[in-house]
Amino acid sequence: MGQRVVISQLGADPPEAIERFAHLEPMAMPDPSSLGPHDVIVEIKSAAVGWVDLIMASGTYQHVPVPPYTPGLEYAGTIAWAGPETRAAVGARVMIDPFLAGPRSSGAYRAYGGFASYAVAPADAVHAIPAGLTFDQACNIFGNYETAYHCLIARGRLQAGETVLVHGASGSVGLAAVHVAKLVGAIVIAAGRSAEKLAVVRAQGADHVIGTSALRDDVKALTGGRGVDVVYDGVGGEISVESLRCVRFGARYLIVGWASTPAARGKPNQLPTNLIMMKGLDVLGCPTVISTVNDPSIRAARLAQVLAWADAGKLAPYVSHRFALADFKAALMAKWRGEVIGGCVIQP
């Protein structure tokens, strides 16, 4: 008998949802006779603990789940059963596309989150894990690197030789942005508050790492007074305003998220329009999922590139924290408190 995490109702904020409304319950392997010919059952080996898993539990993500539900957007494991009209082989190592299965997807597969012993997914969502990647790394591929690609490449038009300032660079998506920027030949300045975390980001490929206390002076010094070409901002709040003083004329400012104000219902982040105008900036909202829902055709190119990089061994997600399924609350709170560098996973 396996287990799964269930969130019985949404909390006022993520900590309340985790502490009061999340629990473990027994879970049997799904009955193959109840499934379709294109379905597979995955025995989950690792599930990513993402920022979206946290804010979804408090209803502050754009996709609001209907409780009770099992969290865990992205997971990897082995095929335990495969429908007769699939090409999946029992025992194969696979990673599951979170756009097509799991709590952020639509339809019947939404019922199966990664914080569980088993999940059901459609064959279209099943991808072989690239050689050289562990289960822990594999469940940190899609959401992180597709987001980085959409923001930096599709929206930000980042080019080789340009300089990008990455905020939140020690987070899972932020570190993916560092990796993607380096893959296309950009110069990366990674900003953060923790010297320990920034040391890891530097080891993961950032050209420069800086604190946030003297952001403008440090960026100007590193760019010869010119400023950066692109800002990748997943933090929001006060750091955003200061970042507008770190850019060259005509730079691109990418709004990726607002981790500094995760539960700010009805309290919008604000940017000064005078600085935006005087610097001739392109301020670009970069909601990866919403953009893809509005135009599904944009996904093919980025998914192909991300998977090609992974298959070629050019992507290797960094995972700092690993937890057993029974310790899921500790895993979620470690992510909430900012203790994680890169990825955090639950291993059922």
Side-chain angles (χ1 to χ4, degrees), residues 232-348:
Y232 181 99
D233 184 5
V235 176
E238 295 180 1
I239 200 71
S240 300
V241 177
E242 187 63 17
S243 297
L244 292 177
R245 300 184 172 93
C246 300
V247 298
R248 68 163 177 83
F249 184 86
R252 287 92 74 197
Y253 196 102
L254 311 179
I255 300 176
V256 181
W258 44 89
S260 66
T261 55
R265 290 188 177 94
K267 298 178 181 179
N269 285 275
Q270 297 178 339
L271 293 175
T273 54
N274 59 325
L275 286 176
I276 293 169
M277 186 190 78
M278 296 303 291
K279 287 182 173 286
L281 302 184
D282 288 348
V283 178
L284 303 165
C286 305
T288 306
V289 175
I290 295 175
S291 298
T292 307
V293 169
N294 278 273
D295 182 4
S297 70
I298 68 174
R299 192 180 186 214
R302 75 166 187 256
L303 182 59
Q305 182 62 81
V306 167
L307 292 178
W309 280 332
D311 287 335
K314 295 180 179 180
L315 292 183
Y318 182 88
V319 178
S320 69
H321 285 60
R322 296 167 176 84
F323 295 86
L325 184 59
D327 298 323
F328 75 92
K329 290 188 177 184
L332 287 162
M333 289 308 298
K335 181 71 174 179
W336 176 255
R337 290 191 294 261
E339 298 169 4
V340 174
I341 305 172
C344 173
V345 298
I346 286 172
Q347 300 170 329

Side-chain angles (χ1 to χ4, degrees), residues 7 9-18 20-21 55-60 67 265:
I7 295 181
Q9 69 180 75
L10 303 180
D13 54 34
E16 182 189 53
I18 295 163
R20 294 186 58 193
F21 305 128
I55 60 176
M56 188 180 280
S58 62
T60 50
R265 290 188 177 94

Side-chain angles (χ1 to χ4, degrees), residues 184-211:
V184 300
I187 300 165
V188 176
I189 301 174
R193 293 176 294 178
S194 166
E196 178 184 4
K197 291 182 180 180
L198 288 175
V200 174
V201 175
R202 181 65 180 266
Q204 287 289 305
D207 297 282
H208 309 283
V209 295
I210 59 175

